[in-house]
Structure formats: structure tokens, C-alpha cells
Amino acid sequence: KNTLLNSDIMTLAMADLVVSMGIRFDWTSFGMLIPATTKVIQIHTDARQIGFNRPADLGIIGGTGPAAKQLLAAVKARQKKQADCSWNGAEDLKGGTARLMDDFRAEGTPMHPARCAGEVARFLEEEGRDWNIICDGGEAAVWMGFASTASRPGQIHMTGPNGTIGTGPGLVVGAWAANRKPVLWYTGDGSLGFYAMEMDTMAKRGIPVVCVISNDSAWGMIRLTECALKPEEIKTKGHCNVDLYPLRAYEKMVAIWDGYGECVTDPNQIIPAIRRAVSNGRPSIINVEVDKVSVSPMIAAYLNMIKPENESKSA
């Protein structure tokens, strides 16, 4: 998969060897999440992808299925005894909100966007382990991707490697249609604006979705990149159409179909607000105010790559 979750990244950081199967080291990470000292075996059907953006110590041209079968057979032939621990390391490297970085428990208001994602992930971990999880938006999807841990296959749906934000509503309807499980739709305020009226479709179809908006009143990913790359220009000319300030009361939209809506500024009130939305049983919106200055690890890495001297705030 091209979208990495929190547990995946921790595993990569500790890996001696990474086998990349069918992955294109594209703009989502350029392979930067793999330490320079880690050996890389890259398997891809397209020879042009071998070593693209990230050098491969060994390149194999072929399909992932046949290659995986051959690798498994080779490993089994050499294995003498069972490993002392699981394939991805010690227990403390696995997922779960207790192992999230400090930013996911940050205090203060406007709250850190990681804290918003962390609270939502804690609700899912404790009360919604079987829910469908839809992550939409730029920075919002990155933070929720880090916070989320799947308990079953096909549980977490991301925007994908093309960065096509606004896909959340379609994924909500599709996920619910597939298994009729409740849906948590996590999105940014910019991405919400694309197809927000699809919530009316959800209401008509009786889809029990709780939409949590990580609302920084801006196109955060673009705004933060502009701040880091063109600070003097931003200082003198301001931003170009990325600010959505003041905070929009998107939670009022749900009154149209008698859903539950609430604006939250206190991180300790996110989970209680979600519970109230769940009790309503109709498509609901929890509109959470977050700060517009905290940079996600993905954007921090991107900025460091294109401008090494950058001193932007990193989470």
C-alpha cells in the first residue's frame, strides 16, 4: 500500500531490511521514511520504478504475487527455528493510541491537530473498534492516518497516492454499503467543501456516519508549505486564497435532516461529542477547532527534502 499508518512507520524505522512490493516511491514519501542505512529490496513490474527516488540494494522485476511465493519458499528453506518475536518486532512497536507520540496528547487551545486525531482514535479504540474509518483531506488525513490502527482488513480508507482530497463522502457510502457498519469520517474543512452535500444522500439512505472536521480555517497543507518556503513573500503579501477564517459553523448543516452537530474547542470534549452524535443515529458533524501552525511529520519531511535549511515547526 502507498499510504502508511503509524505502526508501519515505527516498523520501518527499526527495520534492517525492507522488501518493497509493487510500491512506487512517489510524492507521498519518496522512500524517505526508510532509513538510509536500511537495505531495500524492491519488487515491481515496471523496471523504471526500481531505484526511482530511493536507491534499491536489489531490484527484482516481476509481479508481487509470484515474487512473494518464491521469497516465502526461500525463507522457509533456510529457517532453522522459530523467531523469538513477531515479524514486526517487540510488542511495543505495534499500534494503539497509548504508543502515539506526545503531540497526540498535547494540551492547549487552539488544540494541536494531532490531539484531535488522537482523541478520535481513542474513541474508535475503546468504543468503535469495528467501525469503518474514512480519512480525507491533506494534513487532517495525515494525522488521522498516524493515529489510526486497524482491527480488521479493509477497515481504514485513505485518499490514496494521488492526493485526491474530497473523496470522503464517496468512501463513506461505499464502505457502509459493503458491510453496513457505522462510519467515522475524518476530514479537514477544505476537503469537506468539495462534496459536503453528499451528507444529504447519507441521511436519505440512513447511513450512521459521524463526520469529525479537523478545522484549522485554512487549506492547511498548502498554507503551511507556503509559510515555510516563502516566508518573506507571505509576510509582505499574505497568503493566496488559503485562509477560510473565521471558523465556519459547519455543524449547523445537519439541522436540515435532524442530525447532531456540535462545535468543539476543548480536546476533552471530543469523545463526549462523538457519543452524543452516535446517540442521534443520523449523519452528524463534530466541528473541531485546531491550530494552523503545527506541521505534520510528512510535510516536515517534504520541506526538509526540498529546502534543507528550512526551520519550519516539526511535530
Side-chain angles (χ1 to χ4, degrees), residues 200-223:
D200 191 47
T201 300
M202 299 170 201
K204 291 176 182 177
R205 299 299 178 186
I207 301 175
V209 59
V210 177
C211 175
V212 177
I213 307 172
S214 177
N215 194 340
D216 63 357
S217 297
W219 286 78
M221 188 172 278
I222 297 172
R223 187 182 188 280

Side-chain angles (χ1 to χ4, degrees), residues 1 3-8 10 87-88 91 93-97 99-100 120-122 124-126 128-135 144-158 181:
K1 60 184 176 179
T3 303
L4 294 170
L5 302 181
N6 183 54
S7 55
D8 302 320
M10 290 191 292
W87 69 272
N88 61 343
E91 184 69 24
L93 290 182
K94 296 181 181 179
T97 57
R99 299 170 182 85
L100 292 174
V120 174
R122 275 183 273 277
L124 291 168
E125 185 177 62
E126 297 169 5
R129 290 187 64 83
D130 202 36
W131 284 38
N132 294 303
I133 304 171
I134 311 299
C135 304
M144 193 58 194
F146 270 87
S148 302
T149 300
S151 59
R152 60 175 170 82
Q155 183 175 12
I156 302 173
H157 303 266
M158 307 291 290
K181 296 180 186 296

Side-chain angles (χ1 to χ4, degrees), residues 122-252:
R122 275 183 273 277
F123 166 81
L124 291 168
E125 185 177 62
E126 297 169 5
E127 304 178 41
R129 290 187 64 83
D130 202 36
W131 284 38
N132 294 303
I133 304 171
I134 311 299
C135 304
D136 193 4
E139 290 285 81
V142 173
W143 287 117
M144 193 58 194
F146 270 87
S148 302
T149 300
S151 59
R152 60 175 170 82
Q155 183 175 12
I156 302 173
H157 303 266
M158 307 291 290
T159 56
N162 290 328
T164 46
I165 68 174
T167 57
L171 292 173
V172 167
V173 175
W176 179 83
N179 56 31
R180 294 300 196 270
K181 296 180 186 296
V183 186
L184 191 293
W185 169 23
Y186 194 89
T187 186
D189 52 322
S191 52
L192 176 79
F194 279 94
Y195 306 111
M197 282 309 296
E198 288 304 321
M199 291 198 77
D200 191 47
T201 300
M202 299 170 201
K204 291 176 182 177
R205 299 299 178 186
I207 301 175
V209 59
V210 177
C211 175
V212 177
I213 307 172
S214 177
N215 194 340
D216 63 357
S217 297
W219 286 78
M221 188 172 278
I222 297 172
R223 187 182 188 280
L224 290 166
T225 303
E226 285 182 352
C227 286
L229 298 182
K230 303 176 181 179
E232 293 304 318
E233 182 176 336
I234 298 301
K235 183 178 180 180
T236 56
K237 299 181 180 180
H239 290 279
C240 180
N241 298 322
V242 296
D243 284 312
L244 304 176
Y245 189 80
L247 186 78
R248 300 290 193 260
Y250 295 122
E251 72 279 1
K252 295 182 179 180

